[in-house]
Amino acid sequence: MTDEIPEIGSVTGTGVPVRGNDIDTDQVIPARFMKVVTFDGLGEFAFFDLRFDEDDEQKDHPFNESAFQSASVLAVNANFGCGSSREHAPQALMRWGIDAIVGESFAEIFAGNCLALGIPTVTADHDAIADLQAWIDDNPDGEIHVDVETETVTYGGNTIEATVDDAQRRALTEGVWDTTALMKSNADAVADRATSLSYTDV
Amino acid sequence: MSEGTLYDKVWEEHTVSELPTGQTQLFVGLHLIHEVTSPQAFGMLQERDLEVAYPELTHATVDHIVPTADQSRPYRDGAAEEMMAELEENVRDAGIEFSDPTTGDQGIVHVIGPEQGLTQPGKTIVCGDSHTSTHGAFGALAFGIGTSQIRDVLATQTVAMEKKDVRKIEVTGELGPGVEAKDIILEVIRRLGTEGGVGYVYEYAGEAIETLDMEGRMSICNMSIEGGARAGYVNPDETTYEWLKETDEFRERPERFEELKPYWESIRSDDDAEYDDVVTIDGSELEPVVTWGTTPGQGIGIDDPIPEPASLAADKQDTARRAQEHMRVTPGDTMEGYEVDVAFLGSCTNARLPDLRRAAAVVEGREVHDDVRAMVVPGSQRVKAAAEAEGLDEIFEEAGFEWRNAGCSMCLGMNEDQLEGDEACASSSNRNFVGRQGSKDGRTVLMNPRMVAAAAVEGEVTDVRDLKEVTVA
Ligand code: SF4
């Protein structure tokens, strides 16, 4: 692989708040939209069942509001992305336009899937998130600066202390979040492992 | 940090390198793939001009989209056909073994791995599917991964991971009549919460676990992920070895069994292992558990009242209110008598032979309620064949159940088996999320397989222990 993996020290953009705890990946992208063999075009199905009723009429949802259409920072609450391991979920969000997610907590597989796409999942406490979400509602055009390096989120003159998992911070800021090439370079050590394990016949 | 646990030992055994990110590069002993999460990974390999590094350590099946009624090709659903064709092409090009429906070995990925003997103690096992934790029942270290990680595993046979803490969950005592493995895990998730396991892997131990058969252990490990844990496992013991001896892998090569057994014994958690946390649950006090809400953590004993949202932790109240509105349940009521329209006996949690046997014992001599459509979807073609050899299919069909072919089916409604409108479903599966079973207004009540059988015949959520002339235990 020759492509340079970009270093992601921070993300800046306008926000979109999606409130609620335990928003599972079935909500982020319902299973019926996963009957595809590529991730292209998943963006329009992000949060589909929360955004549209049976007759495909729009419901109240931040992803439907014109003010948030160019948002790139998603602000969520606790245990976001729980449930299925489908990478289709962060893929759909990314293809909708999301480059960073700030929330109270994330399900682990979801956070790992985000990292594999270079999307930071940054955590802060309940009150800080609630304030951020309220501010976004009032300032849909306001810029939010998610700094992975310094673990802060800055908006409208406020700076909140956030947390970025250590491995995630290093992976993003040092541009090693795409692990394929990195791990491929250890092929000899992998082959040693493969032969030393008692159960492998390789 | 834990020390001397199975997790520590298997982790150590499979460590290839420490990555600059601080993550560990772990060797993957078995990579399972299915049609939904793998095609994009194969696409990424192609884009980067990479090949599958160890095709002999990879095994494929088709489960999510496969129709469970008419399986003739091409599938009636064009999208399903396309996904199947793509998988066929990918495994053929890479030389990966594929348990496709023509082999008689096809089934849900977490059912076929164990039954073919691919799943073994002390292996690292990954699959692009969160319920990969199931395989931990054998003392394997098994994780669900995303599609970019599938790409990593295909290209390198390794995965980048961070080490977690280990929580021992000790379930003491003997389970009461009518109480099953499913009830244990629903209780664990109810107590510790759907995110209680974040940062942990769960080691299940104690008398109530050790006396379970392998299928029961699989039901428990399966739902570790619903509790937020990255993996769950049970230390291998005689029950595990007895199962392994009967699998394809070792039946014909008993010497291989003897060769590997010392390794399996060596990775058991030490008696003086250190854990980051220990939780004890008295198994003898458990009742059949059913869910009242839209997360697997929203469960209660069948005799217990549905909680008042205000009585719950502050961060759970809002979710509970929305869940109760969706499910149309009232705090203070029990779930008993909650009317159901559909009964689904299936999924990687509860569609193995003993699950079907226990449910059939409840159904035998009874009829499915007039207002209920009921179906059995065996976890694999082998489970189906074994059940038919015992005549379970006749018991179910005579009672009015549909007897289907193997697949994920209504667990997630990616094929034609879906809830319609606001139907309520008594389900032996693992997720009651809104929309999970194919209709966004659908209502799912999770429960053990005998409870599903009882709900099917009564047309409402029923305490199976109250059904007359049923041998519970
Ligand atoms: S049965 Fe359900 S939970 Fe299990 S693998 Fe299939 S879709 Fe996933």
Side-chain angles (χ1 to χ4, degrees):
Chain A
M1 202 181 81
T2 48
D3 300 349
E4 268 297 298
I5 301 162
E7 292 167 10
I8 299 171
S10 65
V11 171
T12 304
T14 62
V16 53
V18 172
R19 292 180 171 83
N21 296 334
D22 300 306
I23 295 184
D24 56 77
T25 51
D26 277 81
Q27 308 299 308
V28 180
I29 181 93
R32 63 182 186 280
F33 301 117
M34 290 162 55
K35 284 160 94 168
V36 288
V37 293
T38 76
F39 290 128
D40 303 341
L42 283 184
E44 59 181 301
F45 303 121
F47 294 119
F48 193 88
D49 287 346
L50 299 172
R51 286 165 60 197
F52 300 95
D53 67 15
E54 287 84 279
D55 308 317
D56 287 344
E57 294 295 327
Q58 287 201 357
K59 299 202 278 194
D60 267 353
H61 191 277
F63 269 48
N64 285 341
E65 284 175 44
S66 54
F68 296 131
Q69 290 310 308
S70 48
S72 57
V73 178
L74 175 62
V76 298
N77 298 99
N79 200 26
F80 186 82
C82 59
S84 156
S85 62
R86 59 188 71 160
E87 189 170 306
H88 305 67
Q91 288 276 359
L93 295 174
M94 180 176 82
R95 286 159 200 275
W96 188 86
I98 298 302
D99 296 326
I101 314 181
V102 183
E104 289 174 50
S105 62
F106 296 92
E108 288 181 9
I109 300 182
F110 178 80
N113 285 341
C114 286
L115 178 59
L117 303 179
I119 301 174
T121 46
V122 175
T123 57
D125 66 35
H126 175 77
D127 294 340
I129 297 291
D131 291 346
L132 172 63
Q133 289 173 327
W135 182 84
I136 298 172
D137 274 332
D138 295 339
N139 301 276
D141 296 327
E143 270 205 350
I144 303 166
H145 181 72
V146 180
D147 199 314
V148 177
E149 190 105 50
T150 62
E151 301 186 66
T152 53
V153 177
T154 307
Y155 63 94
N158 304 314
T159 294
I160 53 176
E161 294 299 322
T163 306
V164 185
D165 169 81
D166 280 347
Q168 182 187 141
R169 192 181 63 245
R170 285 162 69 179
L172 290 171
T173 57
E174 292 169 24
V176 288
W177 48 272
D178 184 324
T179 35
T180 310
L182 192 61
M183 297 203 296
K184 188 94 193 148
S185 65
N186 291 333
D188 291 345
V190 175
D192 287 347
R193 245 321 101 164
T195 32
S196 74
L197 282 164
S198 52
Y199 64 81
T200 43
D201 269 338
V202 294
Chain B
M1 266 319 226
S2 61
E3 239 183 82
T5 69
L6 179 145
Y7 178 68
D8 294 293
K9 296 182 195 184
V10 178
W11 185 275
E12 174 75 42
E13 197 73 29
H14 291 79
T15 297
V16 172
S17 77
E18 300 300 332
L19 297 170
T21 55
Q23 290 170 303
T24 302
Q25 178 179 10
L26 268 195
F27 183 79
V28 171
L30 173 64
H31 184 200
L32 299 167
I33 58 173
H34 63 60
E35 75 284 10
V36 179
T37 51
S38 71
Q40 302 84 357
F42 281 102
M44 295 177 197
L45 278 198
Q46 253 166 20
E47 271 170 32
R48 298 181 185 198
D49 208 11
L50 292 169
E51 294 198 338
V52 178
Y54 291 83
E56 66 277 28
L57 297 180
T58 309
H59 194 101
T61 186
V62 58
D63 49 11
H64 285 64
I65 53 93
V66 76
T68 57
D70 176 9
Q71 292 190 321
S72 56
R73 300 282 299 275
Y75 298 146
R76 208 163 44 190
D77 174 352
E81 176 60 31
E82 190 192 348
M83 293 174 85
M84 175 63 165
E86 180 92 8
L87 180 63
E88 286 173 320
E89 188 184 322
N90 287 333
V91 296
R92 194 173 47 236
D93 290 353
I96 291 168
E97 231 179 296
F98 180 23
S99 293
D100 75 59
T102 63
T103 60
D105 298 332
Q106 173 267 342
I108 306 172
V109 62
H110 313 308
V111 177
I112 69 151
E115 75 188 2
Q116 296 184 23
L118 301 170
T119 302
Q120 295 166 16
K123 267 194 188 184
T124 42
I125 301 179
V126 302
C127 174
D129 195 285
S130 54
H131 293 100
T132 308
S133 57
T134 312
H135 306 261
F138 290 79
L141 209 56
F143 308 100
I145 55 174
T147 293
S148 296
Q149 286 173 303
I150 300 175
R151 172 195 67 205
D152 284 358
V153 181
L154 290 174
T156 70
Q157 202 58 31
T158 60
V159 67
M161 291 223 133
E162 278 162 81
K163 197 148 183 239
K164 304 289 171 197
D165 289 345
V166 183
R167 172 180 288 148
K168 183 179 191 175
I169 299 185
E170 181 125 15
V171 189
T172 60
E174 218 176 295
L175 298 180
V179 181
E180 303 188 5
K182 178 73 159 283
D183 303 304
I184 295 180
I185 189 62
L186 284 172
E187 177 68 14
V188 167
I189 302 165
R190 186 187 74 78
R191 283 201 203 177
L192 302 178
T194 47
E195 55 197 306
V198 172
Y200 287 100
V201 301
Y202 284 173
E203 173 175 312
Y204 302 100
E207 189 190 343
I209 303 290
E210 284 153 18
T211 49
L212 288 173
D213 58 13
M214 289 314 295
E215 290 84 354
R217 296 178 188 185
M218 283 189 257
S219 300
I220 291 185
C221 291
N222 174 273
M223 291 188 69
S224 303
I225 187 71
E226 304 323 327
R230 198 70 165 80
Y233 65 86
V234 178
N235 279 298
D237 61 11
E238 284 310 316
T239 308
T240 321
Y241 304 146
E242 288 309 312
W243 167 293
L244 287 168
K245 272 186 192 158
E246 295 307 314
T247 60
D248 313 1
E249 192 79 3
F250 298 111
R251 219 180 8 235
E252 278 142 38
R253 294 201 297 164
E255 71 290 351
R256 180 87 176 135
F257 179 92
E258 294 305 329
E259 245 171 67
L260 288 179
K261 198 170 166 198
Y263 171 61
W264 300 340
E265 290 279 285
S266 76
I267 48 97
R268 283 176 53 91
S269 293
D270 297 334
D271 290 339
D272 59 355
E274 285 174 32
Y275 296 89
D276 301 286
D277 191 30
V278 178
V279 171
T280 308
I281 291 177
D282 182 352
S284 66
E285 283 187 351
L286 298 183
E287 288 191 291
V289 179
V290 294
T291 57
W292 52 263
T294 54
T295 80
Q298 292 169 328
I300 40 168
I302 184 70
D303 290 331
D304 293 337
I306 296 161
E308 192 70 60
S311 71
L312 300 172
D315 62 333
K316 297 282 166 232
Q317 297 183 3
D318 177 46
T319 316
R321 259 181 227 108
R322 275 186 289 130
Q324 293 184 353
E325 198 178 312
H326 179 86
M327 294 297 292
R328 294 191 239 129
V329 295
T330 313
D333 290 356
T334 68
M335 281 303 285
E336 229 179 330
Y338 185 82
E339 279 181 27
V340 302
D341 310 290
V342 178
F344 172 64
L345 199 54
S347 91
C348 58
T349 313
N350 279 129
R352 298 183 180 84
L353 190 57
D355 299 315
L356 304 189
R357 278 188 192 138
R358 289 195 307 275
V362 174
V363 164
E364 189 158 21
R366 295 196 157 94
E367 272 181 26
V368 169
H369 191 276
D370 283 347
D371 301 332
V372 174
R373 60 188 171 106
M375 65 164 98
V376 187
V377 181
S380 70
Q381 290 182 320
R382 290 191 190 187
V383 168
K384 181 170 187 251
E388 287 171 357
E390 294 180 13
L392 300 186
D393 56 328
E394 284 166 28
I395 296 177
F396 282 114
E397 288 194 317
E398 265 164 36
F401 276 84
E402 285 178 52
W403 180 253
R404 295 292 191 92
N405 290 307
C408 294
S409 178
M410 205 187 269
C411 175
L412 91 165
M414 264 186 94
N415 69 355
E416 289 146 356
D417 310 335
Q418 305 193 347
L419 293 185
E420 285 162 25
D422 64 355
E423 280 181 332
C425 179
S427 182
S428 68
S429 59
N430 46 44
R431 286 187 175 143
N432 50 348
F433 299 149
V434 172
R436 172 74 179 181
Q437 294 192 286
S439 164
K440 57 185 163 181
D441 297 318
R443 296 167 291 148
T444 303
V445 185
L446 302 177
M447 58 187 77
N448 79 42
R450 269 189 290 208
M451 291 285 285
V452 172
V457 297
E458 295 294 312
E460 56 185 39
V461 176
T462 302
D463 188 342
V464 67
R465 298 171 301 181
D466 295 343
L467 288 187
K468 297 270 173 336
E469 290 168 57
V470 171
T471 21
V472 281

